[in-house]
Amino acid sequence: MKGQRINPNNLNPMQMNNMSSMAGMMNTMQKIGKSKRKYTVSLDKSNKKFLSRFIDEIKKQFGSSPIPQGQGVMSFLDYLKNECEKKDKKEFKVSFEELEFLKKMLSDSLRGIEGMKFKWYQFPKKIFLNIMLKQYKYLLEELKK
């Protein structure tokens, strides 16, 4: 796939940051599944359950992508889903790139939730998203340990 040329003078700094972030994410996606899983991540029962639901949402996003990097990501997500569903184990192993990818996905989702604005009459949705926001922050803290 050939890259498209873009005039940097026509972009504002926010667009440049977004493009740089996307390029970094693609670079990380290419490395997923190629190195040894030597970092141990330990999560409690509630975080594993929330991570399992989060993985389902990520799979929906990557499910229809025809890019070849998607196979490595999908196999990693399948591995992570299987590890989260094991009730007797509280920890699983990931590589550095996989851990960084997971942190990046969580932080991007967190940033997206924080940027949402609601009308005054949408208070149930706002309460629900505040609870989700706390869960995302807690899971991200656990992964950064």
Side-chain angles (χ1 to χ4, degrees):
M1 186 167 125
K2 192 173 181 179
Q4 194 175 25
R5 290 189 173 248
I6 296 173
N7 186 359
N9 295 330
N10 293 339
L11 296 176
N12 62 19
M14 185 62 136
Q15 289 173 327
M16 275 301 254
N17 285 341
N18 287 340
M19 290 178 67
S20 174
S21 175
M22 285 174 43
M25 184 63 94
M26 287 300 286
N27 189 20
T28 305
M29 284 174 58
Q30 288 176 348
K31 294 178 183 176
I32 288 179
K34 294 186 176 157
S35 58
K36 291 187 178 184
R37 295 181 172 141
K38 57 184 177 179
Y39 291 92
T40 303
V41 177
S42 60
L43 299 174
D44 60 346
K45 184 179 176 181
S46 62
N47 273 342
K48 282 175 61 173
K49 193 179 248 186
F50 184 71
L51 182 63
S52 178
R53 279 191 247 131
F54 180 70
I55 290 169
D56 288 336
E57 295 300 318
I58 294 175
K59 278 181 158 182
K60 288 178 188 175
Q61 291 176 359
F62 283 106
S64 61
S65 66
I67 58 173
Q69 293 90 354
Q71 282 85 27
V73 172
M74 290 303 284
S75 65
F76 166 65
L77 292 176
D78 289 336
Y79 162 75
L80 209 55
K81 176 87 173 161
N82 289 338
E83 291 295 316
C84 286
E85 289 176 350
K86 292 180 182 174
K87 301 215 184 273
D88 55 342
K89 291 179 69 178
K90 291 195 182 270
E91 53 189 36
F92 52 90
K93 293 194 174 280
V94 292
S95 68
F96 178 76
E97 290 83 15
E98 293 168 345
L99 185 60
E100 289 300 312
F101 174 74
L102 200 54
K103 287 179 190 177
K104 180 80 170 162
M105 290 297 291
L106 281 169
S107 62
D108 286 346
S109 298
L110 191 63
R111 205 173 317 127
I113 289 174
E114 287 174 342
M116 289 182 163
K117 303 288 183 200
F118 296 104
K119 304 282 186 195
W120 67 271
Y121 53 85
Q122 292 176 316
F123 63 90
K125 192 178 280 191
K126 190 171 183 178
I127 291 170
F128 177 71
L129 281 178
N130 280 339
I131 293 170
M132 278 185 57
L133 189 68
K134 288 178 185 175
Q135 285 180 321
Y136 275 109
K137 285 182 181 178
Y138 185 63
L139 181 59
L140 198 56
E141 286 175 10
E142 289 293 317
L143 287 177
K144 286 185 177 179
K145 285 184 184 178

